[in-house]
Amino acid sequence: MYFNNMIWLLSRIYPALEWSVSTGQKKEIYLTFDDGPVPGPTDFVLEQLQEYGASATFFCVGDNVRKYPSLFHRIQAEGHRCGNHTHNHLNGWKISNSEYLANVQQCTDIFLSQGLKSSGKMLFRPPYGKISPAQINALQTQYRIIMWNVLTGDYDANLSPDQCLNKALTYTKSGSIVIFHDSYKAEPNMRYALPRFLRHFSELGYVFKTL
């Protein structure tokens, strides 16, 4: 509950950032996956999304795209969207603005070198959700800065797979931007929670869309 209250507070401090999607009466959920692509976890995610006819947005680390370009291409070929998650998964609170912005651009350059096709502003999500007002001001003319309102905590070794799933089920509603991770650290919890999450909301008539 504490973390969700913090999200509520931060969304009011930084209203220009995107925390959820207004869906009206439509039953839509916006699944996102951070920190990939990497072999194994990303493959599993894509297989699960395909099984449920779900679309999602992947916030990719540029250096992972450099190492595993075929996975980056597969994500797009299967109808999903890719967003920038910096080149080296940097914490914006612990680095100079110039270094941070250069690292974001480095990720974008990798995307473009791999033939990313995108209309309008590119998507960006700050690693750890940590970004300064100056960094926001510098990036928001070129990027849509995407946050979230449901953090599954799949990366947290102190959360059991059931706790991770229950957290996701409890807080997700229509218009939610939900974070899972296609990373090795999150893999045990994600492999348990994601298919059950998809099945639960699919049975309730929800659809999963890209941002």
Side-chain angles (χ1 to χ4, degrees), residues 163-184:
Q163 287 175 314
C164 176
L165 174 62
N166 289 335
K167 187 177 181 185
L169 297 181
T170 297
Y171 293 109
T172 299
K173 58 185 180 180
S174 187
S176 286
I177 299 175
V178 182
I179 297 184
F180 283 93
H181 293 76
D182 56 329
S183 67
Y184 296 122

Side-chain angles (χ1 to χ4, degrees), residues 115-148:
L116 177 73
K117 295 178 175 61
S118 180
S119 59
K121 290 184 178 181
M122 188 177 290
L123 304 181
F124 174 75
R125 172 174 283 159
Y128 316 102
K130 294 180 178 179
I131 186 170
S132 72
Q135 291 159 1
I136 291 171
N137 289 337
L139 291 171
Q140 62 186 357
T141 57
Q142 185 179 351
Y143 299 90
R144 287 172 56 195
I145 304 176
I146 309 295
M147 302 298 275
W148 63 86

Side-chain angles (χ1 to χ4, degrees), residues 26-27 42 46 61 86 99 106 108 114 139 143 149 162 186 209:
K26 297 177 182 177
K27 299 174 81 170
T42 303
L46 290 169
V61 172
T86 75
E99 290 175 288
Q106 189 177 3
T108 291
Q114 291 299 325
L139 291 171
Y143 299 90
N149 63 358
D162 265 323
K209 302 187 71 174

Side-chain angles (χ1 to χ4, degrees), residues 5-17 19 148:
N5 287 339
M6 284 298 296
I7 292 174
W8 181 89
L9 177 61
L10 288 169
S11 68
R12 277 141 185 83
I13 296 173
Y14 299 110
L17 309 188
W19 299 86
W148 63 86

